[in-house]
Amino acid sequence: MFFFVKVLIAGVIISFASWLSGQYPKLSGFIIALPIASLIAIIFSYYEHQDVEKTVTFTKSILIAVPVSYLFFLPFFFAKPLGMNFWLIYLIGLSLLVIGYFLHKYLINLF
């Protein structure tokens, strides 16, 4: 049952931000940029496992993953000057995320 509550909360936050992006795209972008999902996931993780060490490791992974995940957005900055279409931008961003995954894997093992 707790799993479904978590899914509902996450779904409501994402749906709200998506809806808000139609009226206030800048505000919606700011809301999504907030670590709301991380805050919720960290609380849920600790609540479920009651293990501070695992929660700290989880949080360190998030800290490293956040800047690495920005790789996805890089092609969007160059889309207009290079005349790229949406799907090309999106696929390049996804490809950069794959590279980011391996970068994250490497960095998390350092700490």
Side-chain angles (χ1 to χ4, degrees):
M1 182 64 163
F2 187 57
F3 173 79
F4 293 110
V5 171
K6 294 188 300 184
V7 169
L8 181 63
I9 291 170
V12 167
I13 292 169
I14 292 168
S15 296
F16 174 73
S18 174
W19 169 81
L20 188 64
S21 70
Q23 288 77 25
Y24 304 100
K26 292 177 183 176
L27 176 59
S28 179
F30 179 76
I31 290 170
I32 287 298
L34 294 173
I36 295 170
S38 296
L39 291 168
I40 292 169
I42 291 165
I43 291 281
F44 286 160
S45 174
Y46 181 74
Y47 178 79
E48 283 184 77
H49 307 293
Q50 299 289 313
D51 186 333
V52 174
E53 188 175 327
K54 284 184 181 178
T55 303
V56 168
T57 301
F58 177 46
T59 306
K60 285 180 182 179
S61 177
I62 294 168
L63 180 64
I64 293 169
V66 167
V68 168
S69 71
Y70 292 159
L71 291 171
F72 172 77
F73 299 102
L74 282 178
F76 288 87
F77 275 94
F78 302 106
K80 197 170 188 177
L82 296 176
M84 299 187 318
N85 69 42
F86 172 78
W87 291 110
L88 179 60
I89 299 164
Y90 197 79
L91 288 172
I92 292 171
L94 288 176
S95 300
L96 289 173
L97 276 181
V98 171
I99 293 167
Y101 166 77
F102 291 106
L103 179 61
H104 174 269
K105 190 174 175 180
Y106 172 75
L107 291 173
I108 197 69
N109 287 327
L110 291 177
F111 303 101

